[in-house]
Amino acid sequence: MTVPFVDLKPQYQSIKDEIDAAIRSVVESAWFVGGPELAAFEEEFAAYCETSHAVGVGNGTDALELALEALGVGPGDEVITQANTFIATASAIVRVGAKPVFVDNDPDTYVINPDLIEQAITPQTKAIIPVHLYGQPADMNPINEIAKRHNLFVVEDAAQAHGARYDGKRVGSLGDIACFSFYPGKNLGAYGDGGAITSNDAGLMERIAQLREHGRTTKYEHAVVGKNSRLDAIQAAVLRVKLRHLDTWSEQRQQAAKWYTARLADSPVKTPLIRAGSTHVFHLFVIETDDRDGLAEGLKEAGVATGIHYPLPLHLQPALAHLNISGRALPHCETGAHRILSLPMFPELSLQQVEHVVDAIDMVTRKSTLTAAE
Ligand SMILES: *Cc1c(COP(=O)(O)O)cnc(C)c1O
């Protein structure tokens, strides 16, 4: 048996008729950019996230850049975030001209540690970007309190956590503004690139709708210098179909996570912790182990694909090193980078596949325990 890290094909097969009809209807209408599919998706996604507004954009990275730009974050400003995340969280900050300031993560939930945020605030700090990493919401109540006290914006990076809840509220509705990615492998994935921004601030969202569309006010008048970052109609149509299934798929991910957690209870690997009061939608199922590279190699031999999210923390990335942002100690981030391993996770993952992965983990870890004892 082989177990892929992610397999997008069974999901298409399960909703093929709906998807094919939705795509055909866009092609027949020949309304490929903007139009009724985009408007309908924006309305449905806002309702799903329990916000008043959603704006579709080209991808999750543009969502972050546009959100920061619309908030007025730019040169001379600092934005606090974590270093154990995808590069886009920080590259968006750099691309609007601001400086990322990294704060260490909580070692058990991997999201930013709110207790360390206040000491990183300077007169230049403008915003905080908590990342709902792996599908678990950041600890938003203390983050929002700190932001309020210091007059900072809170921009959720929700690219990995569509549908997760914190204190009963959906991610996307927890800060001033939130950014989503619909990259195909994300929990809500398009059939190409896509992204969205959600917020309850109508004025802010109007600015973003303008910025993503050439800064346009009318067909031939441009109020500001914007960009072209649109969610096209085929992607919107696909996402409308998939949004109707998202909660079921999240439950299937949670079921797979329960199988893994129960069956790995006696294993030496550390399984994910779900914070009380939050739901975790398991974009990734990340375990920790002493000999990460050995385990990954052993699993590969057993036909199990794995990933590492992420092996090189952002403050150590060549692209960011020149910004001199590696001053702050990030011990949990750096230790985690050597210990974390992402196991196969997607809604259609079967119990048999989970058992194969767990058996392979047992075999590899038992072998290494025996070797250590020799
Ligand atoms: C995927 C991702 C992004 C970027 O989204 P794209 O659509 O690939 O541009 C940003 N932040 C995080 C945490 C992500 O996982």
Side-chain angles (χ1 to χ4, degrees):
M1 185 191 264
T2 62
V3 186
F5 185 61
V6 174
D7 187 357
L8 300 178
K9 287 184 217 96
Q11 186 169 90
Y12 170 59
Q13 288 306 326
S14 73
I15 53 169
K16 187 175 187 309
D17 292 346
E18 285 175 89
I19 291 281
D20 291 357
I23 292 175
R24 192 178 322 111
S25 137
V26 174
V27 175
E28 281 169 359
S29 80
W31 201 335
F32 294 111
V33 173
E37 286 296 334
L38 177 64
F41 173 69
E42 288 177 338
E43 194 172 308
E44 289 159 14
F45 193 62
Y48 181 83
C49 294
E50 300 167 358
T51 58
S52 59
H53 290 75
V55 170
V57 296
N59 53 68
T61 310
D62 279 358
L64 287 161
E65 270 186 59
L66 287 163
L68 291 171
E69 190 183 345
L71 289 168
V73 177
D77 296 333
E78 293 177 1
V79 178
I80 292 173
T81 190
Q82 61 190 78
N84 58 322
T85 173
F86 183 55
I87 183 83
T89 312
S91 63
I93 298 168
V94 176
R95 292 188 67 86
V96 300
K99 185 176 140 185
V101 173
F102 295 120
V103 162
D104 208 5
N105 57 283
D106 176 87
D108 295 318
T109 55
Y110 307 105
V111 294
I112 194 167
N113 182 347
D115 297 339
L116 303 175
I117 291 178
E118 220 149 13
Q119 65 203 58
I121 294 174
T122 74
Q124 282 71 49
T125 309
K126 261 284 184 58
I128 306 169
I129 306 185
V131 183
H132 305 315
L133 198 74
Y134 307 153
Q136 168 140 260
D139 195 1
M140 294 301 289
N141 286 342
I143 294 170
N144 283 327
E145 276 164 32
I146 293 164
K148 201 166 170 199
R149 209 160 40 240
H150 296 270
N151 206 14
L152 308 175
F153 297 116
V154 175
V155 180
E156 296 173 69
D157 184 338
Q160 300 188 359
H162 318 67
R165 290 185 185 274
Y166 177 91
D167 261 9
K169 289 179 286 215
R170 291 272 197 202
V171 307
S173 71
L174 300 169
D176 293 297
I177 190 163
C179 302
F180 289 87
S181 164
F182 304 128
Y183 182 77
K186 299 288 160 92
N187 287 29
L188 179 61
Y191 286 176
D193 277 308
I197 301 170
T198 56
S199 175
N200 289 316
D201 185 332
L204 184 62
M205 293 301 266
E206 213 168 286
R207 275 206 295 289
I208 287 168
Q210 195 171 58
L211 283 171
R212 72 157 171 191
E213 178 77 37
H214 303 293
R216 193 172 257 151
T217 43
T218 64
K219 186 163 192 233
Y220 295 114
E221 189 189 82
H222 307 270
V224 292
V225 174
K227 63 194 281 178
N228 176 358
S229 182
R230 297 178 294 218
L231 182 68
D232 71 66
I234 288 182
Q235 301 311 335
V238 166
L239 290 165
R240 287 186 72 198
V241 170
K242 294 184 75 173
L243 184 59
R244 298 199 280 269
H245 300 276
L246 180 57
D247 285 342
T248 305
W249 292 332
S250 296
E251 284 162 22
Q252 290 174 273
R253 288 174 183 273
Q254 287 160 345
Q255 176 60 253
K258 274 189 195 147
W259 288 332
Y260 271 132
T261 304
R263 283 163 173 75
L264 288 169
D266 300 324
S267 145
V269 308
K270 176 180 167 183
T271 52
L273 179 112
I274 306 173
R275 187 194 312 105
S278 295
T279 66
H280 192 319
V281 291
F282 290 99
H283 173 56
L284 295 167
F285 189 88
V286 177
I287 61 167
E288 272 188 56
T289 181
D290 295 335
D291 180 17
R292 189 266 314 279
D293 294 340
L295 180 56
E297 191 50 42
L299 289 178
K300 192 174 163 197
E301 281 164 23
V304 175
T306 58
I308 303 169
H309 302 85
Y310 296 86
L312 189 57
L314 298 190
H315 63 297
L316 305 176
Q317 285 287 352
L320 300 172
H322 68 286
L323 295 167
N324 189 26
I325 47 185
S326 38
R328 193 172 301 275
L330 305 171
H332 294 306
C333 168
E334 291 185 14
T335 306
H338 298 288
R339 295 178 49 81
I340 50 175
L341 186 68
S342 308
L343 299 183
M345 173 54 80
F346 48 96
E348 297 77 15
L349 191 68
S350 69
L351 177 58
Q352 288 73 16
Q353 287 175 309
V354 167
E355 282 176 342
H356 179 76
V357 176
V358 171
D359 288 346
I361 291 173
D362 280 344
M363 211 168 61
V364 177
T365 52
R366 206 174 312 126
K367 212 190 289 170
S368 62
T369 318
L370 287 176
T371 321
E374 270 165 14

